[in-house]
Amino acid sequence: MLFDTHCHLDFTEFEDISLTIQQAMDVDVHRFLLPATTQVSWSGIESLIESFPTQLFGALGYHPYFLSSEIVVKDAMYQLDRALQTRSKQILAVGECGLDGMVDVDFALQTAMFSEQVRLAQHYRLPLIIHSRKTHHHILRLLKRARFTEGGVLHGFTGSKQQAYQLVDMGLKIGVGGSITYPRAQKTRQAIAALPLESLVLETDAPDMPVQGFQGQPNHPNRLPIIFQSLLELRAEEPDKVRDQLWQNSLNVLHLSSM
């Protein structure tokens, strides 16, 4: 079985969630993690995972892309703290949180929000689902400063082999998504080929991050096998070994002992 460790099934592109899940399960994608993007999205995610408790899991947090200048860090963290205190057992992580060097959002605000989410994740002993664009060195610095030990996933990785090893050394898994389906993404493909298999998990980021051949279309969890096949082309291990290890990695990083 395959685990989509990052997809946004709460987005409006997915009108029929039952159909979306069934279409994915038809191609052996059986588990899904839904990271939040804004506080407004928390209740929708919690409602979805309550409706599909054997397939869906969630994460609560603030995505850096959606931060506004009106946000008050202290108030936002109070709300997240309350939500994490009363979370269901299906809420497995803090996120999607992180830093983005390519959006017009005050970087000091991004840094303060991410640092506080790292603090809460450490307090509740939850992994992080981390968004990072052009900010890997900042992410590493903040995690080290916080002495963060609960692990997590660096989502949508598109960096170099050196950056990937630094993130893995911090206890993070590397989210392998649609970028590896593009032959031109040589730097990322080389990094994914070189990393220990134990450090990788699969994700679609649906409806974003389209795989090759589906550009311009909303991405879908049922395209996770395409990413898996691209990964097999980069790895020397047997397909069954890769599949089994990816599944176990997903359980391990989300602190799921068995399923």
Side-chain angles (χ1 to χ4, degrees):
M1 295 192 293
L2 299 177
F3 198 136
D4 189 345
T5 62
H6 197 115
C7 57
H8 298 283
L9 300 188
D10 58 311
F11 282 19
T12 56
E13 285 86 345
F14 301 105
E15 297 179 356
D16 188 334
I17 299 300
S18 295
L19 178 61
T20 297
I21 292 172
Q22 188 57 57
Q23 288 172 334
M25 292 181 68
D26 287 344
V27 292
D28 284 338
V29 183
H30 287 267
R31 299 292 184 273
F32 314 80
L33 182 75
L34 282 55
T37 52
T38 64
Q39 183 178 334
V40 173
S41 70
W42 298 351
S43 60
I45 286 173
E46 290 176 319
S47 178
L48 279 177
I49 63 177
E50 188 176 304
S51 299
F52 302 93
T54 60
Q55 291 95 15
L56 303 187
F57 301 93
L60 303 181
Y62 295 90
H63 192 302
Y65 185 90
F66 298 101
L67 299 178
S68 69
S69 57
E70 289 79 28
I71 198 165
V72 177
V73 176
K74 183 178 179 181
D75 294 345
M77 289 306 112
Y78 172 75
Q79 295 299 329
L80 182 56
D81 192 4
R82 285 188 60 190
L84 293 174
Q85 282 181 25
T86 59
R87 71 188 185 278
S88 77
K89 64 179 181 180
Q90 302 294 104
I91 298 294
L92 303 180
V94 172
E96 181 174 353
C97 58
L99 302 172
D100 195 314
M102 299 178 68
V103 296
D104 187 21
V105 177
D106 181 69
F107 200 72
L109 173 61
Q110 290 190 49
T111 301
M113 288 289 287
F114 178 59
S115 296
E116 285 299 297
Q117 289 178 89
V118 171
R119 179 185 63 81
L120 284 176
Q122 185 71 39
H123 175 74
Y124 287 104
R125 303 197 66 182
L126 293 171
L128 290 163
I129 306 299
I130 302 174
H131 172 99
S132 176
R133 285 202 302 175
K134 308 293 185 183
T135 59
H136 290 345
H137 59 296
H138 293 292
I139 294 286
L140 284 164
R141 175 177 57 84
L142 293 170
L143 292 176
K144 288 177 181 177
R145 187 171 74 184
R147 298 181 180 178
F148 185 69
T149 57
E150 296 303 318
V153 180
L154 197 292
H155 145 67
F157 179 78
T158 57
S160 68
K161 182 165 60 175
Q162 179 185 19
Q163 290 171 326
Y165 272 106
Q166 291 174 329
L167 294 162
V168 169
D169 287 344
M170 276 299 301
L172 298 176
K173 304 294 186 192
I174 300 298
V176 181
S179 62
I180 68 162
T181 66
Y182 294 88
R184 67 176 182 271
Q186 282 302 310
K187 180 176 68 173
T188 302
R189 285 165 61 88
Q190 289 168 6
I192 298 304
L195 286 168
L197 183 59
E198 292 76 13
S199 67
L200 306 178
V201 295
L202 293 178
E203 60 174 60
T204 60
D205 197 23
D208 299 320
M209 265 174 57
V211 299
Q212 187 184 35
F214 294 90
Q215 297 93 317
Q217 301 178 33
N219 199 7
H220 193 289
N222 68 2
R223 295 185 189 135
L224 194 66
I226 298 174
I227 299 169
F228 176 65
Q229 289 300 322
S230 292
L231 178 60
L232 291 180
E233 295 169 7
L234 301 175
R235 305 294 307 192
E237 300 94 344
E238 291 297 317
D240 285 350
K241 177 177 175 54
V242 176
R243 182 186 295 265
D244 292 347
Q245 188 63 59
L246 291 171
W247 180 261
Q248 192 59 51
N249 295 347
S250 303
L251 302 187
N252 291 346
V253 72
L254 295 172
H255 301 179
L256 288 165
S257 56
S258 62
M259 291 178 61

